[in-house]
Every structure is written in structure tokens, then in C-alpha cells.
């Protein structure tokens, strides 16, 4: 069992003034208040009388006298051969507030209250069916990841060091440049890549750098809630135009009719989120044509395009217009979300701007895992891992579809067709309340998200987002049964 370090530094002790005399009484009062105000908690160890006397420059007998008095009062307790501790009997009173004044939530700004709502909205789901991007079982990186980590952290470039490059480790940027060229037809050099803490940070950087006050932007309808939440809360007070999607992706002509002079379009062309269809070539051409005419940016979120179950993945939009498109990628889906490593491929003119803001946010991403990931990519393990998990998710996807067909009548719910990605949408028949059903499902042990928050108010539809995590078949079947019961009871 690990030893608990003795408490040596007690900030409250600075109140002791030897010039005032009665040092023992002062010390008693200071330690008593430290316990009452929560500076010292029940069970916390105190310095030995010798250590505290040396620290304060007073007689040891004075400290012993103070300790004995507080032990008699029940504030402290002495343990044989262990030392002096704050009494366990004080658990209920050791966390008293230092002030009776509390800031009322109503006195906070509207933005502050909105952030609290976003925090609740984005809490991760429990790791059970149908949570998205849960690397369990066969979808976890192999032992190679652990071995590479041990190799790089034990010595060399991934050992603890000083500040690193805000743009990210060059070895990883070089590996990504080569990987996206081969797998996604992205045209870039390592110097155009900035490593981020996932796509979410890249979206935030875009929202702060690309626009001025009240600029207009296009966002798909429906769209990833992480994108809309960032843009809705931008300090630039952006004008957001929700552009509907159909079976070919974003309706570019509709966007032109609604906001022809927008400064950017935020899109998921390879795998529309959350509906799943890829953007057609005709729509891609039209979107790029519009962006060039308006000198607008296209922000391409390519979050899980590697996971296509039939045919070949669609190439990235960036390869068609490298100077117009900002390409966002992540390893959260194909590896694991807690890695917190993504990347943005930028036109060269934007690199310094992104790095400058990056410095103000968190200086640079943690370096050790960047070296591990660079080796994982360069030595071919990433592509092997993707091939393996693609098979796993394809199998799970088919099982979920079959189980839903078995237990949920199509009059109540049906699966959106699609052949790629880590999730599916289960549409609910009207007048289902997907938020209510998702809440009941979570309480019943099934991790699902409502799809309605991804839509604008005008285009809202009711459905559930089901992730394809690698859970046991019996877990998946039980979850479908529970979900079926909830849907049938609430329609």
C-alpha cells in the first residue's frame, strides 16, 4: 500500500505571528480554522511536532501543547507509530464553506450558462451498446501500440522534454501527409499539417480564424452537433444558414439561394453526418465552383471515411481544390477517442495563423503519443488495423440490422440505408419524441443519442443514433430488445 506523504506545507500557518505572543494559542486557533474551512480534511496527516516546530522556528513543546489540546477537543487524533491526523469524526463538518456568499447561476452571463448546457449535452455515453467509437475487443489497437509506446517513452524522442512545436511533431505530420495522399487523395506537404486535439479543436480554430463579425456560413441540415455548437457560440456572432441535404449530400443550389455570399461551408462530403450518404461528384463540382467564385472556404470534416463496407472510399474533396478546402481528420474513430489526436490540412497561407492561436489555447499537443502514432502509421500498422476493424464493424452492423428487423416493427422504426461509418440512424415513426426515448433507454442501460438535435428547428426529424461498437452478440441482442420495448411503449 502506498504511503501517504505527510502534510508539511500549511498555507494557513502564515497567520501565525510570533511577535504577538501566546504562540500555542495562535497555533491551536489556526489549525482549528484550517479544519473548519476545509483546508484540512478528515484523515489528512499533519507534520510531526518536530517537523512543524522546525518549519515555524518555535519550540517543539509549543507544537505538542497545541496538538494535545486539539486532540482533547476531538479535532485531531493520534495514532500509535503513525502520527497525528485530522479526526475521522469530523467528516460531516470538514468541508464548511469559507463564506456564506454564493454566486447565483442567474448572475452569470448567457454565454456561461450556455457552456454549462453544452457540457451536459456532450457528456460521453456509457461503454455499452450502442455507444459510438468504443474500442473494445477486436477493435482495440493491437499489442503493437503498447510495445511502440514502451519503446518511445522509455528513451529517445518521446521521453519527457521541454516545449515542442505548436504545429506538431514533424515525424507524425510527415506520416499523415503520406497516409492521406495514398488513402484519401489529399494533396499536401507536412508543412501544411497542424496536429490538433481531435476534430473539435480544429473546428474551434476555424471558427476563430476564418471569420469577422456577423459573417455568414453554410452548415448542413442535419449536421454534427459539435460543429453547430461551436458556430452558434462563436465570438464573431456568425450568421448560420442551415442548408438541407438529400441523397446527393448538401443542396448547393439551395445554399446559394439562401446565402449566396457566405464565407464558408462546413460539410461532411465522404460520409454525411449523421445520415451517411456521400456527396455526389456533381454536388462537389458545384460546391467548389461556388467557393471559388465567392472566395469562400470549404471546411471538410472527414471523420470516419476509412470505414466503408462495400467498394472503395470516396476521395477527399480537398484533392479537387487544395487552396480552397480546409481538411479535418481524426484518429478518434479508427484508434480510440482518448488519444485526442487529430489534424488539419491547411492552405499554406493559414498555417501560421492556426499555430498562433494554437499557442494561446494549449501551446502544443502532448508529444509522446505523437511519436508512437507516427511509428504506428509509418510501419504499416494503422492500415492493417483499419482493415481489421472494418470487418468487425461490418459484421456488427449486419447483426444490428437483423436484430432490429426481428424485434422492432417497421411501422415504428426503420434503419437509414448506408454502407459506411461507425453508426446508423434508426428513424422513429411520428409522433415519437426521440429525446425522451433516448433518456429512457439510457436509464435502462442502452447508450443511444437522439438525432433531432442535429437538425435545424425547421427540418427536425425523430430518430436514434446507434453506434457499431464491438460488443458481444448477446449484449447487442439484449440492447435491441430493451430498445424495442421502449419504442413500442412510447409510440
Amino acid at each position: 500500500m502506498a504511503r501517504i506523504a505527510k502534510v508539511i506545507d500549511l498555507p494557513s500557518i502564515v497567520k501565525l505571528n510570533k511577535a504577538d505572543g501566546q504562540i500555542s494559542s495562535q497555533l491551536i486557533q489556526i489549525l482549528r480554522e484550517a479544519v473548519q474551512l476545509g483546508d484540512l480534511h478528515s484523515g489528512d496527516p499533519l507534520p510531526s511536532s518536530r517537523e512543524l516546530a522546525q518549519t515555524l522556528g518555535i519550540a517543539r513543546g509549543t507544537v505538542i501543547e497545541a496538538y494535545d489540546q486539539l486532540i482533547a477537543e476531538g479535532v485531531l487524533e493520534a495514532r500509535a507509530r503513525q502520527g497525528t491526523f485530522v479526526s475521522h469524526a469530523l467528516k460531516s463538518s470538514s468541508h464548511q464553506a469559507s463564506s456564506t456568499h454564493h454566486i447565483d447561476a442567474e448572475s452569470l452571463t448567457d454565454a456561461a450558462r450556455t457552456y454549462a448546457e453544452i457540457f451536459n449535452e456532450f457528456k460521453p455515453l456509457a461503454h455499452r451498446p450502442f455507444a459510438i467509437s468504443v474500442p473494445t475487443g477486436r477493435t482495440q489497437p493491437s499489442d503493437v501500440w503498447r510495445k511502440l509506446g514502451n519503446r518511445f517513452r522509455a528513451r529517445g524522442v518521446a521521453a519527457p522534454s521541454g516545449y515542442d512545436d505548436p504545429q506538431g511533431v514533424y515525424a507524425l505530420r510527415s506520416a499523415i501527409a503520406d497516409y492521406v495522399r495514398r488513402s484519401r487523395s489529399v494533396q499536401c506537404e507536412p508543412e501544411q499539417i497542424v496536429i490538433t486535439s481531435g476534430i473539435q479543436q480544429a473546428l474551434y480554430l476555424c471558427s476563430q480564424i476564418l471569420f469577422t463579425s456577423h459573417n455568414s456560413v453554410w452548415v448542413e441540415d442535419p449536421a454534427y452537433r459539435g460543429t453547430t455548437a461551436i458556430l452558434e457560440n462563436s465570438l464573431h456572432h456568425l450568421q448560420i444558414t442551415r442548408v438541407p441535404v438529400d441523397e446527393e449530400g448538401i443542396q448547393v443550389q439551395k445554399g446559394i439561394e439562401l446565402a449566396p455570399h457566405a464565407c464558408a461551408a462546413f460539410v461532411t462530403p465522404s460520409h454525411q453526418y449523421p445520415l451517411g450518404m456521400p456527396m455526389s461528384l456533381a454536388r462537389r463540382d458545384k460546391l467548389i465552383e461556388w467557393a471559388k467564385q465567392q472566395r469562400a472556404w470549404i471546411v471538410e470534416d472527414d471523420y470516419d471515411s476509412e470505414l466503408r463496407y462495400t467498394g472503395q472510399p470516396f476521395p477527399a474533396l480537398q484533392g479537387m481544390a487544395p487552396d480552397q478546402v480546409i481538411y479535418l481528420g481524426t484518429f478518434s474513430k479508427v484508434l480510440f477517442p482518448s488519444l485526442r489526436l487529430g489534424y488539419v490540412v491547411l492552405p499554406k497561407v493559414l498555417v501560421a495563423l492556426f499555430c498562433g492561436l494554437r499557442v494561446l489555447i494549449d501551446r502544443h499537443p502532448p508529444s509522446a503519443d505523437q511519436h508512437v502514432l507516427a511509428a504506428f502509421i509509418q510501419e504499416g500498422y494503422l492500415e492493417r488495423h483499419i482493415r481489421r476493424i472494418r470487418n468487425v464493424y461490418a459484421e456488427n452492423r449486419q447483426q444490428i440490422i437483423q436484430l432490429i428487423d426481428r424485434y422492432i416493427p417497421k411501422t415504428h422504426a426503420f434503419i437509414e440505408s448506408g454502407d459506411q461509418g461507425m453508426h446508423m440512424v434508426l428513424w422513429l415513426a411520428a409522433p415519437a419524441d426521440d429525446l425522451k426515448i433516448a433518456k429512457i433507454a439510457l436509464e435502462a442501460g442502452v447508450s443511444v443519442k437522439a438525432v433531432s438535435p442535429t437538425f435545424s428547428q425547421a427540418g427536425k426529424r425523430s430518430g436514434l443514433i446507434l453506434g457499431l461498437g464491438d460488443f458481444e452478440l448477446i449484449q447487442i441482442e439484449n440492447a435491441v430488445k430493451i430498445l424495442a420495448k421502449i419504442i413500442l411503449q412510447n409510440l
Side-chain angles (χ1 to χ4, degrees), residues 333-396:
K333 300 294 186 291
V334 295
L335 286 175
F336 46 97
S338 61
L339 181 61
R340 303 315 308 141
L341 285 178
Y343 55 94
V344 52
V345 178
L346 297 162
K348 292 179 181 179
V349 69
L350 295 178
V351 173
L353 286 69
F354 269 69
C355 290
L357 180 54
R358 176 62 187 274
V359 167
L360 298 181
I361 294 174
D362 59 359
R363 179 77 68 153
H364 63 79
S367 300
D369 280 335
Q370 291 187 67
H371 291 284
V372 178
L373 180 54
F376 196 76
I377 298 171
Q378 289 167 338
E379 297 177 27
Y381 296 113
L382 177 63
E383 288 171 282
R384 274 176 260 173
H385 174 72
I386 289 171
R387 285 196 296 271
R388 182 172 72 250
I389 66 171
R390 189 184 291 141
N391 292 333
V392 172
Y393 286 131
E395 178 184 323
N396 289 355

Side-chain angles (χ1 to χ4, degrees), residues 113-421:
R113 289 194 294 273
T114 298
Y115 291 139
E117 294 170 4
I118 290 171
F119 168 71
N120 289 324
E121 183 180 354
F122 281 84
K123 283 183 178 177
L125 298 178
H127 288 190
R128 57 198 181 200
F130 297 96
I132 298 173
S133 191
V134 176
T136 60
R138 295 170 295 170
T139 61
Q140 288 180 317
S142 65
D143 286 344
V144 172
W145 181 268
R146 176 179 51 80
K147 292 174 182 176
L148 289 173
N150 291 341
R151 181 209 305 173
F152 281 97
R153 291 190 185 94
R155 52 176 166 46
V157 291
S161 62
Y163 291 114
D164 219 322
D165 188 342
Q167 196 168 344
V169 168
Y170 184 84
L172 177 57
R173 291 188 280 122
S174 179
I176 290 172
D178 186 52
Y179 168 69
V180 295
R181 174 186 56 79
R182 288 182 286 104
S183 66
R184 305 296 302 122
S185 299
V186 169
Q187 299 180 30
C188 71
E189 302 168 0
E191 291 74 18
Q192 293 174 249
I193 295 175
V194 176
I195 305 301
T196 63
S197 297
I199 278 181
Q200 199 69 31
Q201 187 181 58
L203 287 167
Y204 179 80
L205 292 170
C206 288
S207 75
Q208 299 302 305
I209 287 170
L210 302 181
F211 312 115
T212 58
S213 183
H214 301 288
N215 275 170
S216 175
V217 298
W218 292 1
V219 181
E220 295 170 325
D221 190 12
Y224 172 49
R225 183 69 186 109
T227 301
T228 55
I230 282 177
L231 298 176
E232 288 166 1
N233 293 281
S234 169
L235 297 177
H236 297 305
H237 303 290
L238 299 172
Q239 304 298 312
I240 302 170
T241 297
R242 299 300 297 271
V243 183
V245 301
D246 59 21
E247 66 278 1
E248 293 188 60
I250 190 170
Q251 297 180 28
V252 180
Q253 185 57 42
K254 188 67 173 177
I256 294 172
E257 293 169 8
L258 294 170
H261 304 300
C263 295
F266 287 78
V267 293
T268 50
S270 295
H271 183 221
Q272 202 282 329
Y273 187 90
L275 304 186
M277 75 286 289
M279 188 186 300
S280 70
L281 181 59
R283 292 280 174 85
R284 291 171 185 237
D285 288 338
K286 193 169 185 63
L287 180 62
I288 290 171
E289 178 186 2
W290 165 80
K292 288 181 176 179
Q293 288 175 350
Q294 296 299 319
R295 299 177 63 84
W297 299 107
I298 298 172
V299 181
E300 177 179 14
D301 181 348
D302 202 26
Y303 63 99
D304 70 353
S305 59
E306 298 95 339
L307 299 174
R308 188 170 182 86
Y309 308 119
T310 59
Q312 292 295 314
F314 279 73
L317 192 63
Q318 191 269 359
M320 298 173 66
D323 294 329
Q324 217 75 38
V325 177
I326 296 166
Y327 176 87
L328 314 182
T330 182
F331 296 100
S332 294
K333 300 294 186 291
V334 295
L335 286 175
F336 46 97
S338 61
L339 181 61
R340 303 315 308 141
L341 285 178
Y343 55 94
V344 52
V345 178
L346 297 162
K348 292 179 181 179
V349 69
L350 295 178
V351 173
L353 286 69
F354 269 69
C355 290
L357 180 54
R358 176 62 187 274
V359 167
L360 298 181
I361 294 174
D362 59 359
R363 179 77 68 153
H364 63 79
S367 300
D369 280 335
Q370 291 187 67
H371 291 284
V372 178
L373 180 54
F376 196 76
I377 298 171
Q378 289 167 338
E379 297 177 27
Y381 296 113
L382 177 63
E383 288 171 282
R384 274 176 260 173
H385 174 72
I386 289 171
R387 285 196 296 271
R388 182 172 72 250
I389 66 171
R390 189 184 291 141
N391 292 333
V392 172
Y393 286 131
E395 178 184 323
N396 289 355
R397 172 179 170 274
Q398 194 58 41
Q399 289 173 344
I400 292 171
I401 291 173
Q402 291 172 353
L403 288 167
I404 286 174
D405 285 344
R406 183 187 308 170
Y407 292 108
I408 305 177
K410 284 188 168 55
T411 53
H412 289 67
F414 65 93
I415 290 286
E416 173 78 30
S417 60
D419 58 2
Q420 67 184 93

Side-chain angles (χ1 to χ4, degrees), residues 437-457:
I437 290 175
K439 183 175 184 294
I440 296 171
L442 286 172
E443 293 168 352
V446 179
S447 292
V448 294
K449 280 183 176 286
V451 78
S452 60
T454 68
F455 285 88
S456 67
Q457 196 62 37

